[in-house]
Amino acid sequence: MEGSCGGGGGGGAGQMAAWQGRVGATNIGRLRHGKTSSSSAAAVAARGGGVTAWHLRVFAGVVGVMGCLLLVASLMMSAVHQVQFRNAAISRSFRGLQELKQNSVRTEKAEQIMHPRLLQMATSVVTKNESDSDSVKFSLWEEPYKQARKWKPCAAKHSLPDEVPEENNNGFILISANGGLNQQRVAVCNAVVVAALLNATLVLPRFLYSSVWKDTSQFGDIYQEDYFVNYMKSDVHIVKDLPPHLQSLDLEAIGSQITDMDISKEAAPSEFIKAVLPILQQNGVVHFLGFGNRLGFDSVPVHLQRLRCRCNFHALKFVPEIQRAGSLLVQRLRRAGAMRTEMDKQLFGSNMLDVPALLAGGEPSRYLALHMRFEEDMVAYSLCDFGGGDAEREELQAYRETHFPTLAMRLRNTSVSPEEQRSLGRCPLTPEEAGLVLTALGYDRGTFIYVAGSQIYGGAARLRPLTRLFPNLVTKEDVLSSAELAPFKNFSSRLAALDFIACASADVFAVTDSGSQLSSLVSGYRVYHGRGRAPTLHPNRKRYAQILGEEEGIGWGGFERRVRNMVEEYKRVSARPRGRSVYRQPRTPGCMCRAAGDGSVDF
């Protein structure tokens, strides 16, 4: 440091020479104007010389001190930039939610509030939550670890370790999966099970283009093809294309195309054997068009259930480009470098960026991921009323006419009550209602929240009640720069993969719509790979609707108690109930094993 300060003083030599020149020039000017005698001039020159030497010494000292101060300030600014990386990253762009707020100001659209009385109370309470005890705050970020850790992932084991699938089998299974990223993921893993069930070769799945999602991505744009094929090779034979002699066939004309109308929803394996196997054996190929939730859960044998979980929790790995962007997103949210948790290993593999730690000492920051499933397609399909009056109803009906014509046609002949839909728990939570839940659970105003999902229906006017309670909200557009997101622009499934990663990695994951495939898959992924340390908050929409329906007659204390009881019931650790999805609740035979008291495992 001393050397640096000394260098700073020497660096000012040019400035001192210039200053000396200016002093001399001033005295010379006075002489030229004849304002002193020759003797006086000599005296003045003598005094000027003395004053100049003294000022030079003072100036040299000042320059040296200023050089040191500038160097120290530069080092401090660098350190502050590292410590406040998260805030710097957000303030630098804050494009996602900030743009919504700015657009709302320009249009002068009033915020949309459905529960003004509760929101007013919550606005006061959310600040008081900051003073809660450390034990209360700790419980907000944990799940019942002692019970959860008794369950261990088991699907990595091969279903039939002594057998290898034969290439000479009953034929080829081809699927064209519809929907978005998460619906397609379910379809892929169900297709793996069906191929094994029918002793067939699976052709790498194709993804259908959707007018809602508007994404042309195929399997290899999102998942690692070779890894998938190699990981599953001991269970199912998988190829990338149909053999040439089958590619020219008109599968619909020969009766080999199977639609969702031909197979029951969540059908038993026996239905596939009865309805599909004869066609496969006759034609050598079957094409499942729009294949999704066509395979049930309870009737599937354990060895096939394990195969389904091997696919979902182990074989499907995002391509390196998505893994690297996802790791950067998570590390910025955590304000920490690579942690190499079990979740990190599963999501990123060897493609986790090892950026320098963003905090000098201290623990990584915690964040809550909120899947705000309140996009226009979800709102329109729910047939619920969200307080927007006739303009909202007309807008949503126009959307249904374009994107859900079958539903729109049904509505012309059938009356659906929005109030009944809400009482049955079929309405997605608004941002306001999600904020009320988080406040009632005890999260404070400083909670850092990552919001997953696409454009919120209603924009900033709908979002503002949530940001009033929790101002520290960000999206992937706020955390990653435009250049970092550029490879995924206009590809909704690849952007959804980043949301999947951020939600799976979060300290807490909050769900607002139980019917969402993203919520279902992320919840199950956290159970399977979270090792008992990845809690999920899951409001029961039917019970929550009952609570909100009585809001005028209850105080904040009663509201808070009922909401907490509702959420705590879901956090209880138990085996998968009958009829529930293995992808959401993998604590089931073939997927996860329960440790016995002696250290052995059941299932």
Side-chain angles (χ1 to χ4, degrees):
M1 195 69 175
E2 291 178 356
S4 299
C5 292
Q15 291 180 334
M16 287 190 287
W19 183 86
Q20 185 177 4
R22 287 195 297 273
V23 172
T26 301
N27 290 329
I28 292 171
R30 290 173 180 170
L31 290 172
R32 286 177 177 172
H33 284 84
K35 294 183 179 179
T36 61
S37 64
S38 59
S39 60
S40 298
V44 170
R47 286 196 302 270
V51 171
T52 300
W54 180 80
H55 278 80
L56 284 174
R57 287 193 295 271
V58 172
F59 185 78
V62 171
V63 170
V65 172
M66 290 179 65
C68 289
L69 290 175
L70 287 171
L71 179 60
V72 171
S74 176
L75 293 173
M76 289 181 65
M77 288 299 294
S78 177
V80 168
H81 175 75
Q82 292 297 322
V83 171
Q84 295 183 335
F85 180 86
R86 179 191 291 190
N87 292 335
I90 297 165
S91 62
R92 188 168 57 244
S93 54
F94 208 66
R95 301 181 306 282
L97 299 176
Q98 188 63 35
E99 286 183 1
L100 281 177
K101 297 174 186 177
Q102 292 171 351
N103 291 337
S104 177
V105 172
R106 285 195 293 268
T107 58
E108 297 182 355
K109 191 174 182 180
E111 60 184 0
Q112 297 184 10
I113 299 175
M114 296 180 65
H115 312 283
R117 180 171 173 272
L118 284 174
L119 184 61
Q120 183 178 7
M121 290 188 288
T123 304
S124 174
V125 170
V126 74
T127 303
K128 297 178 182 178
N129 285 344
E130 296 178 359
S131 61
D132 284 347
S133 66
D134 290 339
S135 61
V136 172
K137 291 181 179 179
F138 182 77
S139 66
L140 296 175
W141 302 91
E142 295 293 323
E143 68 173 324
Y145 176 65
K146 290 184 178 179
Q147 291 76 32
R149 68 178 178 176
K150 294 179 180 179
W151 292 84
K152 308 293 183 183
C154 289
K157 303 174 183 177
H158 294 303
S159 297
L160 300 173
D162 297 329
E163 297 184 18
V164 175
E166 299 178 3
E167 294 189 26
N168 295 324
N169 49 33
N170 290 322
F172 293 85
I173 298 290
L174 180 67
I175 74 160
S176 296
N178 56 12
L181 171 77
N182 301 291
Q183 293 92 329
Q184 291 165 348
R185 187 183 182 104
V186 169
V188 169
C189 294
N190 284 347
V192 165
V193 176
V194 170
L197 175 69
L198 301 180
N199 188 26
T201 294
L202 177 66
V203 178
L204 210 62
R206 307 291 195 269
F207 294 159
L208 294 174
Y209 179 83
S210 166
S211 62
V212 174
W213 300 108
K214 299 178 181 178
D215 190 344
T216 58
S217 298
Q218 288 301 318
F219 187 95
D221 298 315
I222 300 171
Y223 301 110
Q224 298 178 35
E225 291 183 350
D226 292 339
Y227 186 92
F228 176 71
V229 172
N230 291 331
Y231 194 91
M232 302 303 303
K233 66 182 180 180
S234 297
D235 304 288
V236 177
H237 188 230
I238 303 175
V239 297
K240 295 186 178 181
D241 293 293
L242 280 172
H245 71 280
L246 293 177
Q247 291 181 12
S248 59
L249 293 178
D250 184 338
L251 299 183
E252 183 177 9
I254 66 174
S256 280
Q257 182 165 288
I258 309 294
T259 69
D260 285 353
M261 301 297 292
D262 301 313
I263 298 290
S264 306
K265 184 178 180 180
E266 298 188 2
S270 58
E271 185 171 343
F272 286 90
I273 294 174
K274 181 178 180 180
V276 180
L277 183 59
I279 300 174
L280 179 65
Q281 291 173 328
Q282 177 179 338
N283 298 331
V285 60
V286 165
H287 178 205
F288 288 98
L289 180 63
F291 188 72
N293 293 324
R294 297 296 111 184
L295 180 64
F297 297 103
D298 297 329
S299 56
V300 175
V302 172
H303 74 282
L304 292 180
Q305 203 78 285
R306 177 178 288 116
L307 190 58
R308 187 185 234 161
C309 292
R310 277 175 56 75
C311 170
N312 183 52
F313 298 117
H314 294 280
L316 290 177
K317 303 294 185 185
F318 293 121
V319 294
E321 187 177 45
I322 293 176
Q323 288 181 324
R324 286 190 289 268
S327 74
L328 184 60
L329 173 62
V330 170
Q331 289 180 65
R332 285 181 180 170
L333 289 168
R334 289 173 177 166
R335 288 197 298 174
M339 292 175 62
R340 300 297 178 185
T341 64
E342 179 61 26
M343 192 71 73
D344 289 341
K345 295 174 185 176
Q346 294 298 328
L347 289 171
F348 311 121
S350 61
N351 290 303
M352 183 161 194
L353 297 179
D354 194 9
V355 298
L358 303 176
L359 275 178
E363 294 295 324
S365 294
R366 295 181 296 196
Y367 74 94
L368 180 149
L370 173 65
H371 183 214
M372 199 70 256
R373 187 67 170 99
F374 200 73
E375 297 95 340
E376 189 170 13
D377 66 312
M378 184 67 185
V379 172
Y381 197 82
S382 71
L383 305 181
C384 298
D385 191 343
F386 297 96
D390 291 339
E392 177 189 279
R393 284 188 283 273
E394 291 172 4
E395 183 178 29
L396 294 179
Q397 180 58 25
Y399 186 92
R400 285 189 285 265
E401 294 284 352
T402 302
H403 299 283
F404 306 124
T406 303
L407 177 61
M409 185 180 298
R410 180 164 64 87
L411 289 176
R412 297 190 190 103
N413 304 318
T414 306
S415 177
V416 176
S417 166
E419 293 78 14
E420 184 179 0
Q421 291 291 97
R422 187 168 296 278
S423 67
L424 293 173
R426 295 175 180 172
C427 300
L429 268 60
T430 67
E432 174 191 2
E433 291 166 342
L436 292 174
V437 170
L438 295 178
T439 304
L441 292 176
Y443 291 95
D444 62 53
R445 185 175 172 80
T447 303
F448 200 81
I449 299 178
Y450 176 87
V451 180
S454 286
Q455 295 296 321
I456 301 296
Y457 175 69
R462 183 67 73 176
L463 190 66
R464 197 176 298 115
L466 175 60
T467 58
R468 182 198 299 186
L469 298 172
F470 300 98
N472 295 326
L473 266 65
V474 296
T475 66
K476 54 184 172 292
E477 289 81 9
D478 301 319
V479 182
L480 298 176
S481 69
S482 298
E484 289 163 341
L485 284 171
F488 314 108
K489 187 178 180 181
N490 299 324
F491 297 103
S492 61
S493 291
R494 301 179 210 183
L495 290 171
L498 296 179
D499 277 339
F500 184 102
I501 289 171
C503 291
S505 300
D507 297 276
V508 175
F509 176 51
V511 175
T512 62
D513 174 37
S514 58
S516 162
Q517 285 286 13
L518 173 65
S519 295
S520 176
L521 289 170
V522 169
S523 298
Y525 206 88
R526 289 168 63 82
V527 168
Y528 190 87
H529 290 300
R531 297 188 172 183
R533 298 186 183 276
T536 295
L537 308 178
H538 196 296
N540 182 308
R541 288 188 300 176
K542 184 175 182 178
R543 287 184 58 184
Y544 192 37
Q546 294 173 350
I547 297 171
L548 292 175
E550 302 169 14
E551 64 176 291
E552 294 299 327
I554 58 176
W556 182 260
F559 176 78
E560 181 181 273
R561 183 178 61 258
R562 293 174 68 177
V563 167
R564 291 188 179 191
N565 289 339
M566 171 186 69
V567 173
E568 285 298 321
E569 285 186 8
Y570 182 84
K571 289 176 69 175
R572 294 174 184 171
V573 177
S574 62
R576 179 187 69 89
R578 286 187 59 83
R580 299 299 178 86
S581 167
V582 170
Y583 302 112
R584 180 191 291 273
Q585 297 181 330
R587 295 185 182 108
T588 192
C591 229
M592 298 186 75
C593 305
R594 184 168 52 197
D598 58 358
S600 60
V601 294
D602 296 333
F603 302 155

